[in-house]
Amino acid sequence: QVQLVESGGGLVQPGGSLRLSCAASGFTFRNYYMTWVRQAPGKGLEWMSSIHSDGSDTYYGDSVKGRFTIFRDNAKNTLYLQMNSLKSEDTAVYYCARGPADSHYYTQQQLEYQYDYWGQGTQVTVSS
């Protein structure tokens, strides 16, 4: 079965950095777009970033563009999110999610809503 396990969250001061990881299993990782979403306290899910199956294309939401970097290692079936210049408003539970298979090309707008499995999440708290 599809499993996604996030790790790397924690407490960090404003301006600091964290790298999240997501270990994937139960499907052919290299054939799927992958996505990071987050949920802040009292708010709904927010799409943040997606990446093409081979890593060639990346997509970012306005709130994280220029600060976060999504990348993947298909040999290790692992997705990453490098988060720099963290702000208090980045405090949230972060989830990785499986996007669509790469049999078609998807626009950013489509990727913001097309994911079918996600992990248990990892908490990121940005506070001094």
Side-chain angles (χ1 to χ4, degrees):
Q1 69 278 23
V2 173
Q3 284 197 317
L4 300 167
V5 180
E6 302 92 339
S7 62
L11 174 64
V12 62
Q13 292 186 339
S17 297
L18 278 177
R19 178 177 291 183
L20 305 183
S21 300
C22 171
S25 61
F27 65 103
T28 306
F29 181 75
R30 65 180 181 273
N31 290 347
Y32 285 82
Y33 286 83
M34 294 296 294
T35 287
W36 285 99
V37 298
R38 68 185 179 187
Q39 187 166 28
K43 296 188 177 181
L45 281 175
E46 177 190 7
W47 173 85
M48 291 190 298
S49 182
S50 295
I51 186 169
H52 187 270
S53 57
D54 66 7
S56 58
D57 290 317
T58 56
Y59 312 83
Y60 297 94
D62 289 342
S63 63
V64 304
K65 194 175 299 182
R67 300 187 299 123
F68 292 9
T69 302
I70 188 172
F71 59 103
R72 63 194 295 164
D73 185 338
N74 285 347
K76 295 182 178 180
N77 289 350
T78 303
L79 175 72
Y80 301 96
L81 185 69
Q82 177 66 41
M83 306 187 296
N84 298 330
S85 303
L86 283 161
K87 306 174 182 180
S88 58
E89 50 263 46
D90 294 317
T91 295
V93 179
Y94 284 69
Y95 302 89
C96 70
R98 190 180 77 167
D102 65 359
S103 54
H104 299 284
Y105 171 78
Y106 291 87
T107 65
Q108 175 174 320
Q109 289 72 21
Q110 292 172 314
L111 292 170
E112 291 178 15
Y113 298 99
Q114 297 210 19
Y115 42 93
D116 55 2
Y117 292 91
W118 50 92
Q120 84 291 345
T122 186
Q123 175 71 48
V124 172
T125 302
V126 184
S127 175
S128 55

